[in-house]
Amino acid sequence: GAVVSQHPSRVICKSGTSVKIECRSLDFQATTMFWYRQFPKQSLMLMATSNEGSKATYEQGVEKDKFLINHASLTLSTLTVTSAHPEDSSFYICSARDTTELAKNIQYFGAGTRLSVL
Amino acid sequence: GNSVTQMEGPVTLSEEAFLTINCTYTATGYPSLFWYVQYPGEGLQLLLKATKADDKGSNKGFEATYRKETTSFHLEKGSVQVSDSAVYFCALIVNTGGFKTIFGAGTRLFVKA
């Protein structure tokens, strides 16, 4: 099946630094990727929809200058948490849709990145 | 608006017990319905799906039937195993105005040996 690779799986950083998370579709092309945030014991909250070659669409309440998204190719999207603070500590999950299977309404998820900001 | 409501957990069962996790939804249009499973420290994996009324999704012994009349998509398994311990998310996708997945809050399942 389709695989989405997310890296790193875990990152610890100091407050004020920036962290980049990569999301790659390994065996398919993804015009659209999604970034979610998950708080402990809670559901996934959609942060933004990333479209290849264009600007990301952010959900209400998500700071676009804080969470920079780049989707420069059909297989890679990145999320950069800028000037991270302890309240940004969370589990971030990306997902991707296979461009050739849009009618199937299937998303493939990465394994997630646990960010801890000290 | 579109929303998914699933039963609160945690659900604790003994091995080989019968499992039901309730899920109901509200949606405009005709949603596709999904169950995802999340094992500790991992992302979500698609467990099963149904795209229209009366469809039954099934995988790994789990089943769910798309019931339009009751707007439900309850997850069932006849005999759970310890390895089924995870968090289960019910979700829907409505393609009107763009693709967006709406997740339920998740139900944590513990299976005891």
Side-chain angles (χ1 to χ4, degrees):
Chain A
V3 176
V4 173
S5 174
Q6 190 172 340
H7 179 80
S9 58
R10 177 181 288 270
V11 58
I12 300 173
C13 69
K14 292 182 179 180
S15 186
T17 61
S18 295
V19 173
K20 180 185 283 189
I21 303 170
E22 292 187 349
C23 181
R24 294 181 185 274
S25 56
L26 295 188
D27 48 6
F28 65 97
Q29 293 186 331
T31 306
T32 305
M33 291 185 173
F34 305 88
W35 288 97
Y36 295 87
R37 183 172 179 176
Q38 186 181 30
F39 292 99
K41 299 183 180 180
Q42 294 188 28
S43 190
L44 281 71
M45 180 191 78
L46 179 65
M47 298 174 66
T49 301
S50 168
N51 300 297
E52 185 268 336
S54 65
K55 292 182 179 180
T57 302
Y58 290 81
E59 294 299 302
Q60 191 171 11
V62 178
E63 299 176 59
K64 59 182 66 175
D65 294 331
K66 174 95 177 145
F67 299 99
L68 299 180
I69 292 172
N70 183 280
H71 192 160
S73 78
L74 286 171
T75 59
L76 173 65
S77 176
T78 60
L79 168 68
T80 301
V81 183
T82 62
S83 187
H85 291 284
E87 57 265 30
D88 299 324
S89 299
S90 193
F91 194 54
Y92 293 88
I93 302 175
C94 73
S95 76
R97 297 184 71 193
D98 186 333
T99 303
T100 65
E101 294 186 333
L102 296 180
K104 293 185 179 180
N105 281 341
I106 294 175
Q107 287 174 267
Y108 301 99
F109 286 83
T113 297
R114 183 160 302 285
L115 170 63
S116 300
V117 185
L118 305 178
Chain B
N2 302 312
S3 66
V4 175
T5 302
Q6 60 183 106
M7 62 188 289
E8 284 189 32
V11 174
T12 303
L13 297 173
S14 297
E15 207 165 23
E16 299 183 2
F18 184 86
L19 168 71
T20 299
I21 300 178
N22 291 336
C23 171
T24 57
Y25 67 90
T26 58
T28 54
Y30 300 95
S32 295
L33 302 174
F34 302 80
W35 276 100
Y36 287 91
V37 58
Q38 183 180 32
Y39 298 101
E42 299 183 13
L44 274 65
Q45 301 175 27
L46 177 63
L47 182 60
L48 53 84
K49 69 170 187 169
T51 58
K52 62 183 187 297
D54 300 325
D55 267 2
K56 176 186 283 188
S58 61
N59 185 26
K60 299 180 182 179
F62 291 89
E63 292 183 342
T65 301
Y66 190 144
R67 301 286 189 200
K68 188 177 178 182
E69 64 276 13
T70 54
T71 61
S72 64
F73 193 54
H74 304 321
L75 182 68
E76 297 182 336
K77 186 174 185 182
S79 176
V80 293
Q81 305 300 312
V82 172
S83 56
D84 293 327
S85 298
V87 181
Y88 293 82
F89 292 93
C90 186
L92 67 83
I93 292 175
V94 182
N95 256 324
T96 55
F99 178 98
K100 188 170 181 177
T101 303
I102 308 296
F103 290 93
T107 301
R108 185 173 297 274
L109 170 66
F110 292 106
V111 181
K112 301 181 297 183

